[in-house]
Amino acid sequence: MEKILLFFMQGIPEVMGIVAFGLALARVPLRWGIIAVAGTSLTIIIYAIRSVQITFGIHTVAAIVLLAVFIIKTTRTIPKYSFVAALASLTTLIALELIIEKLFLFITKLDQQVFVSNYLLWKLVGLPQAILMILFAVIISKYTAPDSDAWRI
């Protein structure tokens, strides 16, 4: 039960950051109520996919597709830009995960196996990337002048 709570504690802000970043790249104004609902819903779906014994990484592909479909269905963004925004958002998250994890391991001199086996520590180290994704989304949204008529809902 503790692992599930930790997954959602870190996962919901992270996926909210992914959604917000994707919307900002698609030049859609950030509406945090919708982003919170979408982030929570996608986190639940991603958790369900990860819980099924299928090929590792399928949840990432599913996240890209689900985010693109969300952007397509809820905004006036064309499908091509929706998929590009979704892919760029997940790619940015992956890069942040790599940088933050490597930096943490370098600073703490902790063995990677010890780090990965400590689920609480692993999830806590993931929180900064969630915060950075949200911060990047706000910055992008501020400097790219979102289309005020982009939302369908």
Side-chain angles (χ1 to χ4, degrees), residues 60-83:
T60 304
V61 174
I64 293 167
V65 172
L66 290 168
L67 178 57
V69 169
F70 168 76
I71 295 171
I72 291 166
K73 296 293 185 184
T74 59
T75 72
R76 290 181 172 74
T77 306
I78 63 173
K80 176 173 68 172
Y81 293 137
S82 298
F83 277 101

Side-chain angles (χ1 to χ4, degrees), residues 32-92:
W32 292 102
I34 295 170
I35 291 168
V37 170
T40 303
S41 301
L42 289 175
T43 303
I44 292 168
I45 293 167
I46 291 167
Y47 180 78
I49 292 169
R50 285 183 64 169
S51 297
V52 178
Q53 297 298 326
I54 54 177
T55 305
F56 179 76
I58 293 295
H59 71 286
T60 304
V61 174
I64 293 167
V65 172
L66 290 168
L67 178 57
V69 169
F70 168 76
I71 295 171
I72 291 166
K73 296 293 185 184
T74 59
T75 72
R76 290 181 172 74
T77 306
I78 63 173
K80 176 173 68 172
Y81 293 137
S82 298
F83 277 101
V84 169
L87 183 60
S89 185
L90 267 289
T91 301
T92 302

Side-chain angles (χ1 to χ4, degrees), residues 7-25 30-44 46 63 67 70-71 89-90 93 126-127 129-138 151:
F7 178 86
F8 286 108
M9 177 191 78
Q10 187 262 337
I12 291 172
E14 183 176 88
V15 179
M16 283 178 60
I18 292 167
V19 171
F21 192 91
L23 289 169
L25 289 177
L30 302 179
R31 291 171 58 187
W32 292 102
I34 295 170
I35 291 168
V37 170
T40 303
S41 301
L42 289 175
T43 303
I44 292 168
I46 291 167
L67 178 57
F70 168 76
I71 295 171
S89 185
L90 267 289
L93 175 70
L127 282 176
Q129 66 210 24
I131 294 166
L132 286 172
M133 289 295 289
I134 292 169
L135 181 64
F136 291 163
V138 170
W151 284 102

